Amino acid sequence: QVQLVESGGGLVQAGASLRLSCAASGRTASIHGTGWFRQAPGKEREFVAAISWSVSSTYYAGSVKGRFTISRDNAKNTVYLQMNGLKPEDTAVYYCGATLTSIATIDYWGQGTQVTVSS
């Protein structure tokens, strides 16, 4: 089993920055990659960014590319999402997900953290 705990959400104004953290525990050696997803009210959960644990390759949704950066601290088994230039449309609950195989298949989810961007 893998446990994921997100933190770092909050209420900010447009243009501000936030850094989300996702701390993994348990069988972390089995994790292939970790991704950030978000779900706004009335919308489906969508992919935001992902990072592979073996070679640290990163992937981004087009809507956040150039503004968000995903990174990983190997020693802490923690993945970060640095969000700059936040926009009201970034408002959502952000979830961390871990996969044992491919980012297309999330095996473990965190509880989510709320990000609210005011205009």
Side-chain angles (χ1 to χ4, degrees):
Q1 291 290 324
V2 173
Q3 294 78 41
L4 303 171
V5 178
E6 302 106 328
S7 61
L11 171 63
V12 297
Q13 292 188 330
S17 298
L18 277 176
R19 189 178 78 159
L20 306 183
S21 300
C22 173
S25 60
R27 299 183 62 184
T28 57
S30 62
I31 296 176
H32 171 74
T34 303
W36 285 98
F37 299 77
R38 65 187 183 187
Q39 188 166 18
K43 295 187 177 181
E44 294 187 352
R45 190 173 300 188
E46 65 175 2
F47 169 78
V48 176
I51 186 167
S52 68
W53 282 40
S54 58
V55 295
S56 292
S57 299
T58 58
Y59 310 88
Y60 297 94
S63 59
V64 306
K65 191 173 293 185
R67 298 188 298 125
F68 291 10
T69 302
I70 190 170
S71 62
R72 180 189 168 208
D73 184 328
N74 293 349
K76 296 181 179 180
N77 286 326
T78 299
V79 174
Y80 303 99
L81 184 68
Q82 178 66 43
M83 306 185 293
N84 298 329
L86 283 163
K87 305 175 181 179
E89 51 264 43
D90 294 318
T91 295
V93 178
Y94 283 70
Y95 297 91
C96 174
T99 178
L100 306 182
T101 55
S102 162
I103 203 64
T105 304
I106 298 297
D107 298 289
Y108 302 97
W109 290 100
Q111 81 286 355
T113 185
Q114 176 71 47
V115 172
T116 303
V117 184
S118 63
S119 57

